[in-house]
Amino acid sequence: RLSKSAFKTGRSCPTKLYYYRSGYDSTLEDNPYLKFLADGGYMVGALAHIIYKDGKLIDTGRDQEAAAAKTEEQLKKESVTLFEAALRAGNKLVRVDILEKRGKSIKLIEVKSKAFDSNKEEQFKSDGKRTTFVKTDGDVDPKWQTYLEDICYQTYVASLAHPEFEFIPYLFLPDKAR
């Protein structure tokens, strides 16, 4: 199965993916700095749960099959907001931080603790830049590449799993200007 974690690992280094899939321990698992960053992510995730009050958590622990089954059941509803929804297409599986379904339209919202500045976004636009995420030459800004690949992979797998829906990807980011 190609999970989002495996996809991200493989994008950074195919050899790392080989060792990851072979079950070798990572030297990053006990890294206190990475734990600190993860804690920041949990805080932003908790804020997202407050903002999306009607959301339902797909809580199945590490049982991905049960999570996918619960998600499929919830997607039969006309409108639903889910936390940690699981979508499967063949051997590909993703867990979506926030999935917001309204009719045939589904927002896939990836929660990140990396902040952006909406004031700078407006300045970029007035200077002719396309967005914070894309440089003026049209290339993706390397600082944002892994975040964009993350939500793009989720959107790809979701669209394979459910071609009948329109999927709209979003990044949920803290705004330093607000």
Side-chain angles (χ1 to χ4, degrees):
R1 176 177 318 144
L2 186 62
S3 67
K4 184 175 74 168
S5 296
F7 172 77
K8 288 170 63 175
T9 300
R11 286 287 295 146
S12 71
C13 174
T15 303
K16 284 183 185 178
L17 177 60
Y18 170 80
Y19 286 109
Y20 174 84
R21 300 295 293 267
S22 298
Y24 285 87
D25 291 334
S26 169
T27 59
L28 302 176
E29 289 175 9
D30 295 325
N31 185 316
Y33 178 67
L34 291 179
K35 183 176 178 348
F36 170 75
L37 292 177
D39 289 344
Y42 293 130
M43 287 185 268
V44 175
L47 176 62
H49 284 234
I50 292 168
I51 291 172
Y52 292 88
K53 293 179 181 83
D54 64 334
K56 296 175 186 162
L57 178 63
I58 302 293
D59 187 12
T60 58
R62 300 184 67 90
D63 187 345
Q64 305 292 13
E65 299 304 322
K70 282 188 173 185
T71 299
E72 290 302 320
E73 191 61 36
Q74 291 293 320
L75 287 176
K76 293 176 184 175
K77 297 178 180 177
E78 182 68 19
S79 293
V80 67
T81 300
L82 304 172
F83 300 117
E84 297 303 322
L87 296 169
R88 168 185 296 294
N91 68 343
K92 299 169 195 68
L93 174 85
V94 293
R95 295 296 294 258
V96 179
D97 291 335
I98 304 169
L99 181 150
E100 187 179 52
K101 178 180 184 267
R102 302 293 180 259
K104 291 287 187 185
S105 179
I106 297 179
K107 292 180 183 178
L108 300 176
I109 305 167
E110 178 65 13
V111 177
K112 295 294 184 189
S113 59
K114 181 174 176 66
F116 92 113
D117 186 330
S118 60
N119 290 338
K120 284 186 180 177
E121 176 74 10
E122 291 304 316
Q123 184 63 46
F124 287 153
K125 288 179 182 175
S126 68
D127 291 346
K129 277 190 165 184
R130 293 175 64 180
T131 130
T132 300
F133 312 111
V134 179
K135 301 182 301 182
T136 50
D137 65 3
D139 288 343
V140 172
D141 187 326
K143 293 182 284 192
W144 292 98
Q145 180 134 5
T146 57
Y147 301 102
L148 295 172
E149 286 177 352
D150 188 333
I151 190 63
C152 287
Y153 183 69
Q154 290 181 49
T155 305
Y156 170 67
V157 173
S159 64
L160 289 176
H162 287 282
E164 71 275 19
F165 295 124
E166 173 193 25
F167 290 96
I168 307 162
Y170 288 89
L171 290 176
F172 183 100
L173 307 167
D175 184 354
K176 293 189 278 187
R178 307 228 185 272

